[in-house]
Amino acid sequence: MQRLDRTMSDVKKVVLAYSGGLDTSVILKWLQDTYQCEVVTFTADLGQGEELEPARQKALKFGIKPENIFIDDLREEFVRDFVFPMFRGNTVYEGEYLLGTSIARPLIAKRQIEIARESGADAVSHGATGKGNDQVRFELGYYALMPNVKVIAPWREWDLLSREKLLAYAEKAGIPIEMKHKQGGSPYSMDANLLHISFEGRHLENPSAEAEEDMWRWTVSPEVAPDAAQYVDLEFEKGDLVAIDGVRMKAHELLAKLNELGGKHGIGRLDLVENRYVGMKSRGCYETPGGTILLKAHRAIESITLDREVAHLKDDLMPRYASLIYTGYWWSPERRALQALIDTTQQTVNGWVRVKLYKGNVIVVARDSKTDSLFDPTIATFEDDQGAYNQKDANGFIRLNALRMRIAANAKSKRG
Amino acid sequence: MQRLDRTMSDVKKVVLAYSGGLDTSVILKWLQDTYQCEVVTFTADLGQGEELEPARQKALKFGIKPENIFIDDLREEFVRDFVFPMFRGNTVYEGEYLLGTSIARPLIAKRQIEIARESGADAVSHGATGKGNDQVRFELGYYALMPNVKVIAPWREWDLLSREKLLAYAEKAGIPIEMKHKQGGSPYSMDANLLHISFEGRHLENPSAEAEEDMWRWTVSPEVAPDAAQYVDLEFEKGDLVAIDGVRMKAHELLAKLNELGGKHGIGRLDLVENRYVGMKSRGCYETPGGTILLKAHRAIESITLDREVAHLKDDLMPRYASLIYTGYWWSPERRALQALIDTTQQTVNGWVRVKLYKGNVIVVARDSKTDSLFDPTIATFEDDQGAYNQKDANGFIRLNALRMRIAANAKSKRG
Amino acid sequence: MQRLDRTMSDVKKVVLAYSGGLDTSVILKWLQDTYQCEVVTFTADLGQGEELEPARQKALKFGIKPENIFIDDLREEFVRDFVFPMFRGNTVYEGEYLLGTSIARPLIAKRQIEIARESGADAVSHGATGKGNDQVRFELGYYALMPNVKVIAPWREWDLLSREKLLAYAEKAGIPIEMKHKQGGSPYSMDANLLHISFEGRHLENPSAEAEEDMWRWTVSPEVAPDAAQYVDLEFEKGDLVAIDGVRMKAHELLAKLNELGGKHGIGRLDLVENRYVGMKSRGCYETPGGTILLKAHRAIESITLDREVAHLKDDLMPRYASLIYTGYWWSPERRALQALIDTTQQTVNGWVRVKLYKGNVIVVARDSKTDSLFDPTIATFEDDQGAYNQKDANGFIRLNALRMRIAANAKSKRG
Amino acid sequence: MQRLDRTMSDVKKVVLAYSGGLDTSVILKWLQDTYQCEVVTFTADLGQGEELEPARQKALKFGIKPENIFIDDLREEFVRDFVFPMFRGNTVYEGEYLLGTSIARPLIAKRQIEIARESGADAVSHGATGKGNDQVRFELGYYALMPNVKVIAPWREWDLLSREKLLAYAEKAGIPIEMKHKQGGSPYSMDANLLHISFEGRHLENPSAEAEEDMWRWTVSPEVAPDAAQYVDLEFEKGDLVAIDGVRMKAHELLAKLNELGGKHGIGRLDLVENRYVGMKSRGCYETPGGTILLKAHRAIESITLDREVAHLKDDLMPRYASLIYTGYWWSPERRALQALIDTTQQTVNGWVRVKLYKGNVIVVARDSKTDSLFDPTIATFEDDQGAYNQKDANGFIRLNALRMRIAANAKSKRG
């Protein structure tokens, strides 16, 4: 096996995950300065709601060659191949978090490595800090897909660890700094894509203080959401959402529509303290309007189409699957093995669910499946079932399930 | 070992779980008629919100001896020894159901067996049908605690399977029938205690139809809940709620207070299709106002006081623990073993949580623990941490976590 | 949904799992007597090592029509589609039992239902008692594959529960009884197929007494096994054994060869107390010569070809998968979902293993995979690895893995 | 929170886990040279079978003050508080490895930290390399028990990475080098304690080559073991071994006795490829004579004294518990939580087991418990059970367990 590592001087061309923002612009310049290497910029549209063309202009200003600027619309792939497979598992980290950031990182890593191969780059770089989960998610992806790639994580290398130093470096490099960055302390650390927007840092570093109302961006407050509830019908095929109120759309269009609905009704805000993979607790706030609706609805369609034991098997494995995604192991063989199990179970998850959206609430009110319902009213009924179910069967069922406990209790009492 | 079973003629005295309602009154009479045995009635106050003294009067009318009438207030024991231990596990069945009925049955079974021992009875009886989970929950409890007890489950023995036959039997036996029972079809099948009230049957047998608004009893609709949010502080010790807004109360008083708060704000309604232990799917609606608040708050206090891996271990085991409670295995050795694990973890779960209640929403806005917080702001901060955390450590962390995937990818690529 | 049950008088034609032995011959006659129905006999060759043609002659004597006599050689299907998939999971029940009987029942049930469909039968029957696991395994298979089939389990219906009554019935019916059955108490309850032979009952009902040496049939005692060890090479493809000492054979031929080798060297005896699904403990003895070798070898080939986390995931799920097979849920959707996971992992399980067989021991001495080895000597070496692995990476790896415990210990000590 | 790290110059006194062998002697000198600090040596008797007094003499020669030399007999504590608790879990890593090295490390770490506190040291050091698991096991223990301790891992710091450089350093420092070290390549990397002796490196680095017979130290080859089998009775209380053949002994004496018995009969050799925590596969050979007997016997006593579902719960969690020990998390809160569960289950694990030892085989032949047996012969019997078990109960048991699959099959067939 060849050597797994390279030294700094080896780097010839690096693909940078580049947002066009201040931080990654400083990184771009720092890479040029420090590694004296060619930089390829990669900017992805994951539905974060920002213009991407300015990133191209900025890159050109840094002297990046036009053929080294990659701007890709990954929205459909993101929702279809990452978000939806994850939701098949009813996936939630630590009981609450819908993994909006976690699920985007593997796609960025994958595309970044593809670009490295296309452009003959030997290194990749990202703007995640050394304290968070994202560095892990990016780099586990890089290494799994291109094992000998050189990874440059500037935040772990440079000495620009304070906001002041970073701004000074930017100024010196002629990188334009927006007013908001210059004033009043650090901004929130945010991440956005079609699934969610997240907030960390700043006032949130005190978990005993309530988040400020003006932090939230994608959802209105439940208090100001409409006074009238809205009913929405969601249709599923093989566990994936395929239509809203009868209108079939592409995966990312469906999620965008759900975001619009959820945001309007104040749905999907979350404020929690989570456990990062690197070992610390961290307070984060999330807005996941569409995902919050989707999770509820997916559980509901499974409730009538999935066998009990299959559903329980999924529930037992879900926290493990969620942790794999949270900690960055999307491209691992164990995540794939679990996905094989999950996907197998979704063949019968077909049908529709009706939800009522109202001031922060997603209320499931109805569900049905013409093709795969396992709900049998003739058996479940409280009325006379005409013999469909023989109640006497329960005698033996209970007695044999109790037998081991009866034997134990008898043995104990016999011995006194 | 002695024989595990007895025949009908053996029954001398039977302890009946007696609510005083129509169904268990018919059962009382049927037991006297069919088994020609002495009947002991047991009526428990679990916070269901009904007068219990009428049950005594009814029992006397059936000729039950005064010393054979047991009416017990079990509210404190119920919440302290059953509900709270269950909530230490963040226990939810099938992702949604808070197990309000399931958790009450083991206590009823336990007390019923105690009464059987006290009164020298050799049999016990209950009013649960042969289709549901409650028969299993009662009887697994009976058998575990008194292995040779004779169990009489009238619904599995008699031929009064239609509503009409039951009413006819009642009429003939002189059991007063309320107007509502005589008119307009079957009522909902309901169960209530301090944790929840449940509804099954009737219109709910069609899971594709929305539940009727006038079915709900403990909660107002979110639409008519107050327009102003209410903040509430919950204090925990060893994982259990001990005070609300600074006022310490007994376990059942705390839950009653939470119910009042939740009910007022339209919190805790649930409409779902669940999988019964006997093998069928069933649609149920639940109101769990206090429990819904408690679950959210318990997770929140754990989020700052529980080690990550301990929290994940609990999450991994929770569905199994929930299933044990749902299916009636509270008194089993495996439930006790899991409880030992759960309780061990709760020693550090001390602190407070602030929730905001608003129109169906329970929003966690703050949490802290003076004694056991594991949240370390000097490490988590996005600001300069003065070296508390060495970002370079992440290099090795990621590289060794990636190593197996790199070796695999290299091996694969070398072989082509 | 149609009614799930039928009454006795409905039965027109029943397919009986018929071994040709005393018990199932009595059952055959009893079915004819009791149900007055046409009987179809089904006799399967699963490698139990008995002639099957005598079963045909016996069936004809009972007046079974020739077209109603089915004798099938299922050996290849048994090993290929049931035994091998199970071994992909390293499947062991309760730490010891290799599931030799459990894995044969689903195939018998499946074929029996196929024959029921082919011959227009409306019922099936088997000779398993009401105390054991086999009745469950058969019947869960029947119901899963033909949900409205009538199941007749004579041992649960008739009154021939003592050995004497059974023999009397046989005598009266003119069924020939071998000398061994007439003399000296009950025989062992045995079951044999290509994977194992099992023994229960008789002297074994006392678990504190050693099994008698002359009970064992397929293996010599280690004491009398050859004094010279024998080396055997086993080759695997996608997790399945494909060749022994370089000779490719069909699945059942491979297992037969392993049985021969194992039996000769005293390998695969097992004496244990197991927990039956119906709630009691039972003592059983098993001979699984080939399976014991196969399990060891399969783990060994996985040890160099399977990713660590995939292997651990399999290990975590194995007891659950084993229990599903033990309790008869082969045809359940949850077993299929787990199988999908297991099979996914076996794509890379290719290579060979060398075992040394000696007086009861199966000793793995070598293993390799030209195509899929993940063992990298350049990294694992204790010698100078030329930088293939950077030992300094372990600093950060350990420090971040320890971080949560350090924070907790610091928090604790700070509070005193 | 105080800063978690210190720089090299901070080190004043370091406690070294010192065996007295070549490697740790070089480390001792290197610590003195490099850190210019006071060294405290700690040498533990864990039953590795070596004289410890020579370590004292060597330490004195290096100028270690007498009060800084700690030599402790930890054998009883090791077996009682570490080995036995682990065996309560039937703990095996990756299906085979009995964790002999893993389980000793937490005790060494704990004692080392105690000595650090006693002697006012601010640092600890060990001789484990940067590639293995032991560094992790030591250091996770250090950090968990003394979160701000400075850890010095010389193998990850120095440049003595080849055998030659190490020997050169030793020679220059006047450390006596045994002949065997000077000649013919590296020795095996070995570790020994009362539970096992392990071998890695050298010829073993090729997993497709058989280990050499003269490597093994504690066990004879099965081929040369006695021709006569030996029966041994083992008595358990609360899951722990307390007597052998009727003789009660202390924990470590019992294990020593089992080692003697096992070693004599060629029991407990193991040759495998395992997955290290740091990400690589490694081939190791192990001799665990006593532990191999103990594991078999413990499972056997559990087989008659443990409830089925408790046993299965333990089996499901065992691989996770084993991984925690393997990877060094003995002092973690999640290991403690699992231990609480395991220990709870062992209250009834009382009784005796008879094993037959013969040429590598440990054969369980009998087991009983006067106080806690759950084996009920009146129920399990194949003879007439006088009604102890009602076979008809199995009808309902099977029918309700099958119900969900019948409903599914009916639904499917109805839809075509």
Side-chain angles (χ1 to χ4, degrees), chain A residues 143-162:
Chain A
Y143 285 134
L145 300 171
M146 195 178 186
N148 300 311
V149 72
K150 166 74 181 170
V151 173
I152 304 173
W155 283 96
R156 303 199 306 255
E157 290 191 25
W158 68 25
D159 58 356
L160 309 178
L161 290 176
S162 73

Side-chain angles (χ1 to χ4, degrees), chain B residues 332-343:
Chain B
S332 72
E334 65 272 22
R335 200 279 309 171
R336 293 174 203 246
L338 283 171
Q339 195 74 53
L341 183 151
I342 292 168
D343 290 355

Side-chain angles (χ1 to χ4, degrees), chain A residues 11 22 86 174 183 200 223 273 277 279 324 329 374 379 384 396 409:
Chain A
V11 176
L22 175 65
M86 180 173 79
Q183 299 168 330
E200 293 185 305
E223 280 93 336
V273 173
Y277 190 27
L324 286 176
Y329 290 91
L374 298 174
I379 290 207
D384 189 339

